[in-house]
Amino acid sequence: MSQPIEILSDRAALTQKAVEIVLAAYSHAIAANGRFTFVAAGGNTPRLLYEELANQPLDWSKIHIFWGDERYVPASDPQSNLGMTRPALLDRVAIPPENIHPMPTEAGDPKLDAQNYENHLRKFFGLGDQPLTFPQFDLVLLGLGDDGHTASLFPHTAALAVSDRLITVGQKDGQPRLTFTASLINQAQKIVFLVEGKAKSEAVAKILASTGDVQTYPARLIQGNVIWLLDQAASQHLQTIG
Ligand code: 6PG
């Protein structure tokens, strides 16, 4: 699967490259549409990027932040992706509260909250209820698990087959998560994988190989305008991909 790859020397260089790409996408979106719709990734990898973005001279009144997935826990839970993004970024910039679009996790029903978020996205983009219509986000940031998952699209789960929705319910070890579908991610103007560390290197190689199984490596579902940003450690098996 040939997708552009940039290999950076270390975490600092990886983060700096990601900042550059986000800034370029921001400038393009503001010039074209007067706003920038950014989809944040969860986990630990993007934390430094978020901290760096907080230091950038951006007009946060024109930026809308969404999440590509969320653990089905309250925002106060240490597992929360929103909870991670607040101290790293949201609490440090002048972003209007109405520009922050967290995935809802309070209805006590992941399917209902998935529908709630889908409804929210459709309203935000003025899509109405037309089936099989997908909004185009300006930039979707993705991480990668060492098992080949991205967002909350985990191996051998039902979420991988959902192609007619924007948002569905993912499962990790029985824990429900809300997630963008691959169909929604793939509509994005720009998709950036931000991956670091040796632990991810085998998954990276399997995902970028010319052939492979999407059930085992769900990140292979992600197509479109993708770029992979890797540190040296995460790229170490790339020379052996088939
Ligand atoms: C999440 C994510 C998930 C994450 C990967 C990598 O909610 O955990 O969105 O897809 O990006 O699991 O996580 P790390 O960056 O912590 O390795």
Side-chain angles (χ1 to χ4, degrees):
M1 190 166 68
S2 63
Q3 293 178 337
I5 302 166
E6 296 229 19
I7 299 171
L8 291 308
S9 55
D10 57 20
R11 189 174 198 211
L14 181 70
T15 301
Q16 185 51 40
K17 186 65 183 175
V19 167
E20 290 169 14
I21 290 175
V22 172
L23 294 187
Y26 161 86
S27 299
H28 176 81
I30 298 295
N33 308 313
R35 72 179 187 191
F36 178 49
T37 54
F38 173 71
V39 181
N44 297 307
T45 303
R47 191 191 303 267
L48 185 56
L49 169 59
Y50 299 156
E51 291 170 353
E52 287 304 315
L53 288 176
N55 300 328
Q56 297 299 316
L58 300 171
D59 181 349
W60 287 93
S61 70
K62 295 180 178 174
I63 298 175
H64 288 265
I65 186 168
F66 304 79
W67 278 262
D69 73 315
E70 183 58 276
R71 294 82 181 276
Y72 201 68
V73 294
S76 57
D77 188 299
Q79 285 287 318
S80 168
N81 288 332
L82 168 65
M84 178 273 279
T85 316
R86 284 204 180 282
L89 177 60
L90 303 178
D91 295 347
R92 300 171 57 208
V93 295
I95 185 168
E98 63 272 20
N99 288 22
I100 301 172
H101 306 267
M103 287 185 150
T105 60
E106 309 283 345
D109 176 351
K111 283 187 179 177
L112 178 59
D113 271 329
Q115 186 60 58
N116 290 337
Y117 201 57
E118 174 143 351
N119 295 342
H120 176 76
L121 296 184
R122 288 189 175 281
K123 183 178 178 185
F124 178 83
F125 284 98
L127 283 181
D129 292 330
Q130 304 104 314
L132 296 178
T133 51
F134 294 83
Q136 182 179 58
F137 287 88
D138 293 310
L139 189 146
V140 173
L141 181 69
L142 294 173
L144 181 74
D146 55 13
D147 62 353
H149 82 263
T150 192
S152 283
L153 300 169
F154 286 90
H156 306 292
T157 57
L160 304 189
V162 179
S163 58
D164 60 347
R165 312 301 301 271
L166 306 186
I167 308 297
T168 192
V169 179
Q171 292 285 341
K172 179 185 182 180
D173 304 334
Q175 181 205 43
R177 298 182 169 201
L178 302 192
T179 185
F180 273 33
T181 59
S183 300
L184 176 56
I185 294 169
N186 289 340
Q187 299 301 316
Q189 177 77 21
K190 187 85 175 172
I191 303 165
V192 180
F193 275 100
L194 186 67
V195 187
E196 66 173 311
K198 182 182 176 189
K200 313 283 179 77
S201 60
E202 280 197 39
V204 166
K206 294 285 189 180
I207 291 155
L208 290 172
S210 52
T211 59
D213 170 29
V214 298
Q215 289 294 323
T216 308
Y217 293 99
R220 291 182 64 89
L221 288 168
I222 307 308
Q223 303 290 326
N225 188 18
V226 179
I227 185 168
W228 287 77
L229 301 183
L230 308 172
D231 70 350
Q232 287 286 358
S235 69
Q236 67 183 18
H237 289 299
L238 274 183
Q239 64 277 10
T240 62
I241 60 177

